[in-house]
Amino acid sequence: MSVAQDIGQAGGGIGLLDRERTIAKPGFNRWLVPPAALCIHLCIGMAYGFSVFWLPLSQAIGITKPVACAADVGLIGSLFTTACDWKVADLGWMYTLFFVLLGSSAAIWGGWLERVGPRKAAFVSTLCWCGGLMISALGVYWHQLWMLWLGSGVIGGIGLGLGYISPVSTLVKWFPDRRGMATGMAIMGFGGGAMIGSPLADMLMNYFKTPASVGVWQTFVAMAAIYFVFMMAGTFGYRIPPANWRPEGWTPPATQNAMITSGHVHLQNAHKTPQFWLIWSVLTLNVSAGIGVLGMASPMLQEIFAGSLIGKPEIGFAALDAGQKTQIATIAAAFVGLLSLFNIAGRFFWASLSDKLGRKLTYATFFGLGILLYALSPWAAHAGSLALFVAFFCIILSMYGGGFATVPAYLADMFGTQFVGAIHGRLLTAWSTAGIIGPVVVNYIREAQINAGVPRAQVYDRTMYILAGMLVLGFLCNLLVRPVAAKWFMKDAEVAALQKRSASVDGAAHYGSYGIGKGGFDGTAMLAWAVVGLPIAWGVWITLSKSLALFR
């Protein structure tokens, strides 16, 4: 018996989590769906902020300072030892597991999600993400690193994948008039999860900290409980429109854009088209460049500007004393926070703008502007212009986030909306690939430059030019994207058979609004938006207040 059947049965044998139970009824307001998606994404987005736990966990036994392991305790030994503290490098593998499992689980279970609907997928995501945090809490309590890897890394990573793609096809169908804006609203939440979760985790760890505990396992339990409430609210807030639903008063443009199809490509055929692999390459190259910089943003700013950050431009990085390095590390942390804020804002801004510009032109802008900014960043660094350097990378990171948020709409334009969630899931393997390419390029070139004796202020020059070259390749891939050939589209009868489970309220095949989607920002919608909007506003305020340190 399925989870849905265990939870309960509705009339006619339809379970509480089944797709048929989520079909909207007359009077439903479509503006309630984006807050439901944000409830999921703001919680799972904490994966970006898990590094806030690394330092406390690295001294979970020693409390005030780490208890070093014996020389013969390697990585495998550290998974099971209870006699010494974990290394930050060993904890960092969880970050790798998050995004490898996100991409692979989205690819594996994307088709299942399309069959069962977003509510059941979000329910499983909630169990995996919150359950993973609880297993991690036990891992910290018993000091078993393998439990953290399994709990948050593997099980939580599966929850990330299902939670990430669960709203995509739903929102695209609810907002055919503004596809980019709709997916941008939800995927913005994933970028914003760490902006809220990191300071919350810091506050909770300080609250639970005692002379005998660093407060991490208690924080995991508390956050699992908070996230469970929010994610369940999002899960049961999901609705899907009936087949052939359209917003009242909206009709597709009379002049059809050649880059926006009116047909549907089956999941089994999408990866056989050149368009899928071109867009896969577009996302891989855009994300590789951005994620490489994001991972090294703090040391990059410190090494390039060094003493200039504290009003002493004559002091290079190597000449800084311990106190000065602490000062500039604080300023660099503000830089990372500012980049994160632009990463979030860019997801909504660029995805919404793509509704006007078109997806292909939006990506052309990402690459064209990105090439220019990457190529000019060494000049800004050598000129000593901190403001220009920061501005360049804020724009770059806005386009990094914008790439994530715009790609679901790009896929819907190319392949139709019937399987867009599952196709998006398969495309997210590009994220897993970029998570390897980007950091490797940035980190290894930096090491090679340092070993070659290049001054710290110049070790990133060659990296920036290589990243600009990657964006040139991305620009060319995007340029080659053309409409999908007619042979790949499903026949009308096949589409009708698939849509039968989401039939319109009167069972007819005609298009219409059926009294669904009305209301705009009525009282209920405003309350739903306040539930997600207030935590976002708090996170933005915290981030901006810290970012002021950059320009004091």
Side-chain angles (χ1 to χ4, degrees), residues 159-186:
L160 287 178
L162 291 174
Y164 190 88
I165 62 173
S166 66
V168 171
S169 62
T170 305
L171 285 168
V172 166
K173 290 167 186 171
W174 273 118
F175 292 87
D177 47 339
R178 285 175 279 187
R179 287 175 176 174
M181 181 207 70
T183 56
M185 282 189 289

Side-chain angles (χ1 to χ4, degrees), residues 481-513:
V481 175
R482 297 286 187 273
V484 176
K487 67 177 181 178
W488 296 113
F489 290 107
M490 300 166 62
K491 292 182 170 50
D492 291 344
E494 294 175 292
V495 176
L498 286 170
Q499 292 181 342
K500 191 174 182 181
R501 292 174 64 196
S502 301
S504 62
V505 289
D506 61 1
H510 59 270
Y511 288 94
S513 68

Side-chain angles (χ1 to χ4, degrees), residues 45-75:
M46 179 53 189
Y48 266 137
F50 243 66
S51 59
V52 74
F53 298 117
W54 294 167
L55 185 58
L57 285 173
S58 71
Q59 51 194 43
I61 293 177
I63 307 300
T64 56
K65 62 179 182 179
V67 175
C69 294
D72 60 346
V73 177
L75 178 60

Side-chain angles (χ1 to χ4, degrees), residues 25 234 323 327 332 360 435 493 495 508 529:
K25 301 292 191 295
Q327 284 181 275
K360 187 172 181 177
V495 176
W529 277 95

Side-chain angles (χ1 to χ4, degrees), residues 298-332 456-457:
S298 177
M300 179 175 69
L301 192 79
Q302 294 178 61
E303 291 174 336
I304 289 175
F305 288 96
S308 298
L309 296 173
I310 52 175
K312 298 181 179 180
E314 71 280 1
I315 304 178
F317 183 80
L320 292 167
D321 62 33
Q324 291 168 330
K325 285 185 177 179
T326 300
Q327 284 181 275
I328 69 167
T330 301
I331 295 170
R456 288 295 181 101

Side-chain angles (χ1 to χ4, degrees), residues 19 22-37 118 166-183 185 237-248 250 412 417 420 502 505 512-519:
R19 180 187 182 92
T22 64
I23 299 172
K25 301 292 191 295
F28 179 77
N29 186 345
R30 66 173 176 166
W31 286 98
L32 293 172
V33 181
S166 66
V168 171
S169 62
T170 305
L171 285 168
V172 166
K173 290 167 186 171
W174 273 118
F175 292 87
D177 47 339
R178 285 175 279 187
R179 287 175 176 174
M181 181 207 70
T183 56
M185 282 189 289
Y238 277 148
R239 298 290 187 279
I240 59 174
N244 301 320
W245 176 86
R246 285 179 180 172
E248 186 168 349
W250 179 81
T417 60
V420 66
S502 301
V505 289
S513 68
Y514 315 122
I516 300 170
K518 296 180 178 181

Side-chain angles (χ1 to χ4, degrees), residues 205-507:
M205 284 188 290
N206 287 327
Y207 177 78
F208 290 120
K209 189 183 297 181
T210 68
S213 171
V214 292
V216 175
W217 76 261
Q218 300 95 326
T219 298
F220 279 158
V221 172
M223 294 187 78
I226 294 168
Y227 287 161
F228 184 82
V229 171
F230 269 83
M231 293 180 75
M232 289 300 283
T235 296
F236 287 97
Y238 277 148
R239 298 290 187 279
I240 59 174
N244 301 320
W245 176 86
R246 285 179 180 172
E248 186 168 349
W250 179 81
T251 55
T255 305
Q256 183 67 30
N257 185 334
M259 295 299 291
I260 302 178
T261 182
S262 58
H264 303 276
V265 177
H266 199 283
L267 174 63
Q268 296 175 350
N269 293 324
H271 67 280
K272 299 175 185 178
T273 67
Q275 286 81 0
F276 177 88
W277 293 107
L278 286 169
I279 297 174
W280 187 94
S281 301
V282 162
L283 186 64
T284 300
L285 292 162
N286 186 58
V287 173
S288 294
I291 206 169
V293 168
L294 193 58
M296 288 297 289
S298 177
M300 179 175 69
L301 192 79
Q302 294 178 61
E303 291 174 336
I304 289 175
F305 288 96
S308 298
L309 296 173
I310 52 175
K312 298 181 179 180
E314 71 280 1
I315 304 178
F317 183 80
L320 292 167
D321 62 33
Q324 291 168 330
K325 285 185 177 179
T326 300
Q327 284 181 275
I328 69 167
T330 301
I331 295 170
F335 176 56
V336 175
L338 196 61
L339 292 183
S340 298
L341 190 57
F342 273 82
N343 172 19
I344 297 159
R347 292 171 187 242
F348 181 73
F349 172 78
W350 288 109
S352 299
L353 188 62
S354 75
D355 289 328
K356 303 292 184 184
L357 299 181
R359 284 14 121 174
K360 187 172 181 177
L361 181 55
T362 301
Y363 270 96
T365 304
F366 292 162
F367 291 121
L369 187 54
I371 292 164
L372 182 65
L373 294 177
Y374 275 117
L376 287 177
S377 59
W379 165 79
H382 301 324
S385 178
L386 176 63
L388 264 182
F389 187 85
V390 169
F392 285 174
F393 280 96
C394 283
I395 296 170
I396 285 169
L397 263 294
S398 79
M399 296 188 294
Y400 162 79
F404 279 121
T406 305
V407 80
Y410 206 167
L411 294 173
D413 290 351
M414 289 288 105
F415 302 105
T417 60
Q418 189 64 42
F419 288 98
V420 66
I423 295 169
H424 182 225
R426 290 188 177 179
L427 195 87
L428 287 179
T429 54
W431 191 352
S432 301
T433 305
I436 298 170
I437 295 173
V440 165
V441 168
V442 173
N443 296 346
Y444 279 90
I445 293 176
R446 173 183 174 274
E447 286 298 318
Q449 294 287 88
I450 291 173
N451 293 337
V454 175
R456 288 295 181 101
Q458 299 172 22
V459 296
Y460 296 96
D461 291 6
R462 184 170 296 179
T463 301
M464 295 304 136
Y465 297 136
I466 290 174
L467 294 179
M470 291 170 64
L471 294 190
V472 170
L473 292 176
F475 184 89
L476 294 174
C477 289
N478 184 61
L479 194 65
L480 292 172
V481 175
R482 297 286 187 273
V484 176
K487 67 177 181 178
W488 296 113
F489 290 107
M490 300 166 62
K491 292 182 170 50
D492 291 344
E494 294 175 292
V495 176
L498 286 170
Q499 292 181 342
K500 191 174 182 181
R501 292 174 64 196
S502 301
S504 62
V505 289
D506 61 1

